[in-house]
Amino acid sequence: MKPVFSRAYGAFTRILICAAVIGAFLHVSTSPVSAVAATVYANSSTGNDSTGNGTSGSPYLTFHQAYTAAASGDTIDLTGTFTWSDAGETGDATIAGYTISKNLTIQGQSRATIVQAASSANTSDRSVFTVGGFTVTIKKMTIQYGNVVTTLYGGGITTLDNANLTLTQVDVRNNRAASATNVMNRAGGIYSVAAADFRDTSLTINESNIVENTCTCYLYAAGGIYFGQQVVVTISNSTIGNNVATSTSGATYPYDYSSVAGGMGHFRFGYLIMSNVIVAGNTTNHYGGGLALSNLYEPILTNVTIANNSASLGAGGLLWSTGVTGTNSQLRIKNSLIVNNTGVSGASTDFYAYNSAAGTAVTETYNIVETSTRKTFNGTGSLAGD
């Protein structure tokens, strides 16, 4: 006779197997079918908003119609040139331009795909895109001819609290933050802002060019890119070049974090990682020709070239200041070239530390730096004064 325990265990095992099979069947049969992201097509030459259905063979004519038809998570595929001043483009608004209020990928065919606020430079009264609190990827296009006069906006692109924007193979060029009396917190190209606690606000730029944008601003601004506190900025394989920032404040707050930077500036308490980036040919009549960085949490610059920038009041290449204490206040620079930048009266001024504390808060290896103020570049493999 078999033990009672053995018979009971065998029966229990069969019950478990049956239950597992039934449970698996019920799980498969009752789970909802997930929605599949769609691609909505628009072609500014061959499309038609009335007879088109947004497919590749029958595209819409306007961006607005494609955006209206797209659901969150979809891709909008663009061919041609899309101009907000055209009669069919009715979704944009003064100042903000076209506000993206759902998670989307917006892609062109190449940089020859153009999205613009107007058909010519300096004639519009709005940004091109404003991204609200959503995750948006823009790729393979040129964004141009945006023009704003309002604070807290960028001429080309503006991102707001809790937005996560990624640019891949995008040119942001020939945008403008126009002259306005004592207006600050702006950028010619891209302005990214977050509230104090929005650390998930991010701007990611890859294989892109932020070039030839201009800003006439009071303080806290930049020609190319300006970002505020708690924004996480990651830039790789890209160029920030030939942007111009003109300050109307004069020599107010010299070398301060309120500086109006030529290429890229920052307010405070943000995050920055740059790798394989060229910052060149940017100019300002203020402080910080290439980059003006302040109070960042452990910014990292790797394989970055900062050259041929100018700031007529000083710090032609990189202006660095910090009031943050601890190891996360360190500016980390590696394998980078900071040369041929000019400041007051054309004098060489490549790296400028705001004070001795800022100069101490730099960790560097394998760099070439021509001139430096309040920081001696003597880390492993570094060359200075050459």
Side-chain angles (χ1 to χ4, degrees), residues 17-32:
I17 293 173
C18 291
V21 171
I22 293 171
F25 174 78
L26 290 175
H27 175 74
V28 171
S29 62
T30 59
S31 61

Side-chain angles (χ1 to χ4, degrees), residues 266-287:
H266 167 251
F267 177 44
R268 62 182 182 184
F269 309 143
Y271 303 80
L272 175 65
I273 298 175
M274 300 177 70
S275 60
N276 302 318
V277 176
I278 294 173
V279 181
N282 304 284
T283 63
T284 182
N285 69 337
H286 213 238
Y287 304 91

